[in-house]
Amino acid sequence: MKKQMFSIALTSLLAAAVMAGCGTGTSQPPAQPQNGQELAGQPSGEKKTLTMATSADYKPYEFHDLTSGKDEIVGFDVDIAKYIGEQLGYEVQVNDMNFDGLVPALQTNRADFVMAGMTPTPERQKNVDFSEIYYDAKNTIVSKKESNVTKPDQLAGKKVAVQLGSIQESAAKELAKTATGLQITSLNKTGEIIEEVKTGRVDAAILEDTVAKGFVESNPGLQYTTIETEEVNGSAIAFPKGSKHVDEFNQVIKKMQENGEMDKLIKKWFGQ
Ligand code: ARG
């Protein structure tokens, strides 16, 4: 009961943060001074608010939920962040931006952490620190149902859409080395990528399995095929280099894996 009340309070706080971010609402987080001008992570009195940056185009990890009549960012990552915040005594404010702006936001202290289904690649590890991996994913090829573009070697001479700054963009660049004539279109939001496939402006997209599944379910004209490789990509929480939050976040992730909370959230958002 207590927990439920907390999450309701937090949800409305998040909603307020989202609305403030969009400039569409006048509501402010209750009993909290505004800190819009401050850099994230700076101490400000008693308040312990952490700013989470994300790219809320990644259902079921993070997406805009309009069903309640207000614009709320919800999803697997948001629930994990709320749980961690609850355990460690932080309020979490969610800030939506483009995926390729997330690492720079950490580097310039405009966010305390990033949760965005982000894979801890060696390249990113040069610029940010990561938590342990909390969920796995594989790449897929998304195409129209009547299309026979379902395998990497069929991408030669084809137009392929990917998210700007994502590992799928890197994967497409890698494929282009052998698949001659593969042309890459890099876009900011996954919804735009799906539009490109639907309208036929591109032949295919590369997206992660769980996200592709959702898009295909709501767009029956599309299909997705998992790219068979040994490689599994995981999601981890990213922090500014040297952040003191890495250890405490890892401790809560471990606890969630042990006490069943993680499985509960996986069931809730991935249905498995
Ligand atoms: N896992 C991929 C990566 O780290 C894609 C993540 C995209 N996330 C998002 N919220 N759009 O590059």
Side-chain angles (χ1 to χ4, degrees), residues 93-114:
Q93 281 195 7
V94 182
N95 203 352
D96 188 14
M97 54 183 79
N98 287 337
F99 187 77
D100 77 326
L102 294 173
V103 167
L106 291 175
Q107 290 177 298
T108 53
N109 266 354
R110 282 175 291 125
D112 296 297
F113 66 99
V114 161

mmCIF file of all heavy atoms in Angstrom, residues 93-114:
data_model
loop_
_atom_site.group_PDB
_atom_site.id
_atom_site.type_symbol
_atom_site.label_atom_id
_atom_site.label_comp_id
_atom_site.label_asym_id
_atom_site.label_seq_id
_atom_site.Cartn_x
_atom_site.Cartn_y
_atom_site.Cartn_z
ATOM 1 N N GLN A 93 13.555 12.633 -12.026
ATOM 2 C CA GLN A 93 12.897 13.437 -13.067
ATOM 3 C C GLN A 93 13.341 12.915 -14.424
ATOM 4 O O GLN A 93 14.529 12.749 -14.659
ATOM 5 C CB GLN A 93 13.332 14.893 -12.944
ATOM 6 C CG GLN A 93 12.609 15.624 -11.834
ATOM 7 C CD GLN A 93 12.774 17.138 -11.969
ATOM 8 O OE1 GLN A 93 13.312 17.641 -12.951
ATOM 9 N NE2 GLN A 93 12.304 17.855 -10.963
ATOM 10 N N VAL A 94 12.366 12.682 -15.276
ATOM 11 C CA VAL A 94 12.692 12.102 -16.582
ATOM 12 C C VAL A 94 12.729 13.194 -17.642
ATOM 13 O O VAL A 94 11.825 14.019 -17.733
ATOM 14 C CB VAL A 94 11.667 11.020 -16.980
ATOM 15 C CG1 VAL A 94 12.040 10.397 -18.324
ATOM 16 C CG2 VAL A 94 11.610 9.926 -15.913
ATOM 17 N N ASN A 95 13.786 13.187 -18.412
ATOM 18 C CA ASN A 95 14.008 14.207 -19.423
ATOM 19 C C ASN A 95 14.162 13.529 -20.793
ATOM 20 O O ASN A 95 15.069 12.731 -20.988
ATOM 21 C CB ASN A 95 15.304 14.933 -19.039
ATOM 22 C CG ASN A 95 15.367 16.314 -19.622
ATOM 23 O OD1 ASN A 95 14.508 16.688 -20.432
ATOM 24 N ND2 ASN A 95 16.372 17.069 -19.231
ATOM 25 N N ASP A 96 13.265 13.853 -21.717
ATOM 26 C CA ASP A 96 13.262 13.200 -23.035
ATOM 27 C C ASP A 96 14.125 13.978 -24.026
ATOM 28 O O ASP A 96 14.031 15.201 -24.107
ATOM 29 C CB ASP A 96 11.806 13.135 -23.545
ATOM 30 C CG ASP A 96 11.672 12.301 -24.808
ATOM 31 O OD1 ASP A 96 12.613 11.553 -25.152
ATOM 32 O OD2 ASP A 96 10.593 12.377 -25.437
ATOM 33 N N MET A 97 14.971 13.265 -24.748
ATOM 34 C CA MET A 97 15.775 13.916 -25.794
ATOM 35 C C MET A 97 16.083 12.917 -26.899
ATOM 36 O O MET A 97 15.652 11.766 -26.817
ATOM 37 C CB MET A 97 17.059 14.499 -25.188
ATOM 38 C CG MET A 97 17.904 13.522 -24.409
ATOM 39 S SD MET A 97 19.365 14.312 -23.661
ATOM 40 C CE MET A 97 18.671 15.117 -22.238
ATOM 41 N N ASN A 98 16.836 13.341 -27.894
ATOM 42 C CA ASN A 98 17.202 12.402 -28.955
ATOM 43 C C ASN A 98 18.273 11.435 -28.460
ATOM 44 O O ASN A 98 19.107 11.797 -27.629
ATOM 45 C CB ASN A 98 17.716 13.148 -30.186
ATOM 46 C CG ASN A 98 16.583 13.842 -30.923
ATOM 47 O OD1 ASN A 98 15.412 13.454 -30.793
ATOM 48 N ND2 ASN A 98 16.920 14.871 -31.674
ATOM 49 N N PHE A 99 18.247 10.233 -28.991
ATOM 50 C CA PHE A 99 19.156 9.199 -28.499
ATOM 51 C C PHE A 99 20.619 9.634 -28.612
ATOM 52 O O PHE A 99 21.408 9.399 -27.686
ATOM 53 C CB PHE A 99 18.923 7.873 -29.241
ATOM 54 C CG PHE A 99 19.712 6.747 -28.659
ATOM 55 C CD1 PHE A 99 19.314 6.135 -27.480
ATOM 56 C CD2 PHE A 99 20.889 6.318 -29.266
ATOM 57 C CE1 PHE A 99 20.065 5.109 -26.916
ATOM 58 C CE2 PHE A 99 21.640 5.289 -28.705
ATOM 59 C CZ PHE A 99 21.231 4.684 -27.537
ATOM 60 N N ASP A 100 20.967 10.284 -29.698
ATOM 61 C CA ASP A 100 22.388 10.626 -29.863
ATOM 62 C C ASP A 100 22.814 11.802 -28.977
ATOM 63 O O ASP A 100 23.989 12.134 -28.931
ATOM 64 C CB ASP A 100 22.734 10.882 -31.337
ATOM 65 C CG ASP A 100 22.277 12.242 -31.815
ATOM 66 O OD1 ASP A 100 21.208 12.707 -31.345
ATOM 67 O OD2 ASP A 100 22.960 12.836 -32.666
ATOM 68 N N GLY A 101 21.853 12.386 -28.239
ATOM 69 C CA GLY A 101 22.201 13.452 -27.290
ATOM 70 C C GLY A 101 22.428 12.934 -25.875
ATOM 71 O O GLY A 101 22.813 13.703 -24.983
ATOM 72 N N LEU A 102 22.205 11.639 -25.656
ATOM 73 C CA LEU A 102 22.229 11.118 -24.285
ATOM 74 C C LEU A 102 23.635 11.083 -23.679
ATOM 75 O O LEU A 102 23.836 11.551 -22.554
ATOM 76 C CB LEU A 102 21.599 9.715 -24.252
ATOM 77 C CG LEU A 102 20.097 9.678 -24.569
ATOM 78 C CD1 LEU A 102 19.607 8.241 -24.693
ATOM 79 C CD2 LEU A 102 19.286 10.414 -23.499
ATOM 80 N N VAL A 103 24.587 10.543 -24.406
ATOM 81 C CA VAL A 103 25.959 10.494 -23.881
ATOM 82 C C VAL A 103 26.504 11.921 -23.681
ATOM 83 O O VAL A 103 27.037 12.228 -22.616
ATOM 84 C CB VAL A 103 26.867 9.614 -24.776
ATOM 85 C CG1 VAL A 103 28.343 9.804 -24.437
ATOM 86 C CG2 VAL A 103 26.481 8.138 -24.616
ATOM 87 N N PRO A 104 26.329 12.811 -24.658
ATOM 88 C CA PRO A 104 26.742 14.198 -24.432
ATOM 89 C C PRO A 104 26.061 14.837 -23.201
ATOM 90 O O PRO A 104 26.696 15.618 -22.489
ATOM 91 C CB PRO A 104 26.316 14.922 -25.714
ATOM 92 C CG PRO A 104 26.354 13.855 -26.761
ATOM 93 C CD PRO A 104 25.937 12.591 -26.076
ATOM 94 N N ALA A 105 24.806 14.475 -22.927
ATOM 95 C CA ALA A 105 24.119 15.038 -21.746
ATOM 96 C C ALA A 105 24.826 14.601 -20.470
ATOM 97 O O ALA A 105 24.939 15.378 -19.512
ATOM 98 C CB ALA A 105 22.652 14.608 -21.727
ATOM 99 N N LEU A 106 25.310 13.378 -20.441
ATOM 100 C CA LEU A 106 26.058 12.900 -19.262
ATOM 101 C C LEU A 106 27.409 13.604 -19.172
ATOM 102 O O LEU A 106 27.855 13.999 -18.100
ATOM 103 C CB LEU A 106 26.277 11.387 -19.342
ATOM 104 C CG LEU A 106 25.034 10.511 -19.195
ATOM 105 C CD1 LEU A 106 25.394 9.040 -19.424
ATOM 106 C CD2 LEU A 106 24.386 10.690 -17.823
ATOM 107 N N GLN A 107 28.037 13.772 -20.321
ATOM 108 C CA GLN A 107 29.373 14.376 -20.334
ATOM 109 C C GLN A 107 29.354 15.831 -19.892
ATOM 110 O O GLN A 107 30.354 16.339 -19.404
ATOM 111 C CB GLN A 107 29.981 14.274 -21.737
ATOM 112 C CG GLN A 107 30.355 12.847 -22.119
ATOM 113 C CD GLN A 107 30.885 12.778 -23.530
ATOM 114 O OE1 GLN A 107 30.175 13.101 -24.487
ATOM 115 N NE2 GLN A 107 32.136 12.378 -23.670
ATOM 116 N N THR A 108 28.217 16.495 -20.085
ATOM 117 C CA THR A 108 28.127 17.905 -19.703
ATOM 118 C C THR A 108 27.301 18.078 -18.437
ATOM 119 O O THR A 108 26.857 19.182 -18.136
ATOM 120 C CB THR A 108 27.491 18.727 -20.846
ATOM 121 O OG1 THR A 108 26.245 18.082 -21.204
ATOM 122 C CG2 THR A 108 28.389 18.769 -22.065
ATOM 123 N N ASN A 109 27.085 16.969 -17.705
ATOM 124 C CA ASN A 109 26.361 17.013 -16.428
ATOM 125 C C ASN A 109 24.942 17.543 -16.542
ATOM 126 O O ASN A 109 24.418 18.125 -15.602
ATOM 127 C CB ASN A 109 27.123 17.860 -15.395
ATOM 128 C CG ASN A 109 28.011 16.973 -14.536
ATOM 129 O OD1 ASN A 109 27.954 15.737 -14.651
ATOM 130 N ND2 ASN A 109 28.809 17.573 -13.686
ATOM 131 N N ARG A 110 24.318 17.359 -17.684
ATOM 132 C CA ARG A 110 22.913 17.742 -17.806
ATOM 133 C C ARG A 110 21.990 16.596 -17.408
ATOM 134 O O ARG A 110 20.775 16.752 -17.402
ATOM 135 C CB ARG A 110 22.612 18.239 -19.227
ATOM 136 C CG ARG A 110 23.087 19.672 -19.458
ATOM 137 C CD ARG A 110 22.892 20.126 -20.891
ATOM 138 N NE ARG A 110 23.789 19.409 -21.780
ATOM 139 C CZ ARG A 110 23.374 18.716 -22.853
ATOM 140 N NH1 ARG A 110 22.096 18.672 -23.155
ATOM 141 N NH2 ARG A 110 24.252 18.093 -23.603
ATOM 142 N N ALA A 111 22.573 15.462 -17.060
ATOM 143 C CA ALA A 111 21.790 14.341 -16.544
ATOM 144 C C ALA A 111 22.652 13.566 -15.562
ATOM 145 O O ALA A 111 23.878 13.526 -15.697
ATOM 146 C CB ALA A 111 21.339 13.432 -17.684
ATOM 147 N N ASP A 112 21.989 12.971 -14.549
ATOM 148 C CA ASP A 112 22.720 12.151 -13.578
ATOM 149 C C ASP A 112 22.884 10.728 -14.077
ATOM 150 O O ASP A 112 23.831 10.046 -13.718
ATOM 151 C CB ASP A 112 21.973 12.134 -12.246
ATOM 152 C CG ASP A 112 21.913 13.516 -11.634
ATOM 153 O OD1 ASP A 112 22.989 14.053 -11.310
ATOM 154 O OD2 ASP A 112 20.804 14.078 -11.507
ATOM 155 N N PHE A 113 21.900 10.285 -14.858
ATOM 156 C CA PHE A 113 22.040 8.953 -15.448
ATOM 157 C C PHE A 113 21.154 8.854 -16.678
ATOM 158 O O PHE A 113 20.250 9.670 -16.882
ATOM 159 C CB PHE A 113 21.721 7.840 -14.427
ATOM 160 C CG PHE A 113 20.290 7.765 -13.948
ATOM 161 C CD1 PHE A 113 19.404 6.851 -14.509
ATOM 162 C CD2 PHE A 113 19.835 8.592 -12.929
ATOM 163 C CE1 PHE A 113 18.091 6.760 -14.060
ATOM 164 C CE2 PHE A 113 18.518 8.504 -12.476
ATOM 165 C CZ PHE A 113 17.646 7.590 -13.039
ATOM 166 N N VAL A 114 21.448 7.849 -17.487
ATOM 167 C CA VAL A 114 20.664 7.594 -18.702
ATOM 168 C C VAL A 114 20.125 6.178 -18.628
ATOM 169 O O VAL A 114 20.863 5.239 -18.341
ATOM 170 C CB VAL A 114 21.542 7.744 -19.966
ATOM 171 C CG1 VAL A 114 20.890 7.054 -21.163
ATOM 172 C CG2 VAL A 114 21.789 9.218 -20.276
#
